[in-house]
Amino acid sequence: MKVQQKSLKDFLIHLVIVAILLLGSALVFFYVYLPSYTNHGESITVPNLDGINMDEIDDFLTKRNLRYEVNDSTFSEDYPPLAIVKQYPKPGSKVKENRKIFISINRVSPPTVPVPDLVDRSLLNAEAVLKSNELKRGEIIYQPSQFHNLVLDMQMKGKKVEKEDRIPKGSVIDLIVGNGSGTSMFKAPNIVGSELEDARFVILGSNLKIGLVALEGDTTGMKAIVTKQEPLEGTQVNVGDEIDIWISPAEKTIEEEMTETNP
């Protein structure tokens, strides 16, 4: 009986020793070996790669125990060719050593886009369409047309472009736009020597406008005679142009002329 009790006691002691050894081994593995193997508690701050050229990135990240992979490309006028424009993880993130940083680089040349159809659109609408297609509006060149601010044509660097032509994204397109003054040119009429009302009739009847009216003397009770005009007679003008006139009193009063007409 005593032998059996002793054997049971020894067994329990051995069992406790084994359990202690196993527990100790587990503690050493999880709290000593494993943390040291996985660099537990140690991290690297991800640097800002914005604008760094691809020629420099390999050495830049290797010195910081990091790797990289190019997973995308884009185009931006704000960056030089082959510069990094995006990254993941973001700058300032905490990562393990040898972590791979995914980067997006700027293309060497911009992608091309088709020229939108801007002809016969209003200037305001054309500007909005250009912006939505990542193009820029350049110079506005006005030409005679009865339609004000209507796009008549498109050009780039002095050469005409047609819709659907492929051009680099971000290109500048100049717009040929109507000035609303009409397309036909004609000679200014002669109104010098005409009475004011007759001159008005001729100007308005010629699809022109009366501009400056300058008085050269007191016309009270007198006929007003046009003594000068600008533009001069025979000058090429457009529909809607203004004619400036200078008026002076006639030599005879209205009453004197009426007396001579009806003695």
Side-chain angles (χ1 to χ4, degrees), residues 12 16 38 47 72 96 103 142 263:
L12 292 174
V16 170
T38 59
D72 191 19
K96 300 289 185 181
I103 60 176
Y142 283 100

Side-chain angles (χ1 to χ4, degrees), residues 3 5 51 89 96 119 161 168 179 184 189 206 208 246 256 260:
V3 174
Q5 291 178 345
K96 300 289 185 181
V119 176
V161 291
N179 61 7
S184 59
S206 300
L208 299 170
W246 284 256
E256 289 174 339
E260 291 180 356

Side-chain angles (χ1 to χ4, degrees), residues 77-92:
E77 293 181 338
D78 299 328
Y79 292 83
L82 299 180
I84 297 174
V85 296
K86 295 179 183 178
Q87 69 178 89
Y88 182 82
K90 295 181 179 180

Side-chain angles (χ1 to χ4, degrees), residues 185-202:
M185 300 284 289
F186 59 95
K187 295 180 179 180
N190 178 29
I191 53 175
V192 173
S194 302
E195 295 184 17
L196 177 59
E197 289 306 315
D198 291 338
R200 290 180 184 273
F201 181 81
V202 173

Side-chain angles (χ1 to χ4, degrees), residues 2 5 84 88 156-157 176 188 194 222 228:
K2 289 182 179 181
Q5 291 178 345
I84 297 174
Y88 182 82
M156 188 172 72
K157 297 180 180 178
I176 313 299
S194 302
M222 307 287 287
K228 181 181 177 182

Side-chain angles (χ1 to χ4, degrees), residues 9-46:
K9 183 178 180 181
D10 291 341
F11 174 75
L12 292 174
I13 291 173
H14 283 88
L15 186 62
V16 170
I17 292 172
V18 171
I20 292 173
L21 290 174
L22 289 173
L23 179 62
S25 298
L27 292 174
V28 169
F29 178 79
F30 285 107
Y31 291 97
V32 178
Y33 172 76
L34 191 60
S36 63
Y37 180 78
T38 59
N39 297 316
H40 180 72
E42 297 180 12
S43 61
I44 297 174
T45 301
V46 176

Side-chain angles (χ1 to χ4, degrees), residues 166-177:
R166 304 292 301 191
I167 60 175
K169 185 184 294 185
S171 295
V172 178
I173 293 183
D174 300 326
L175 301 177
I176 313 299
V177 178

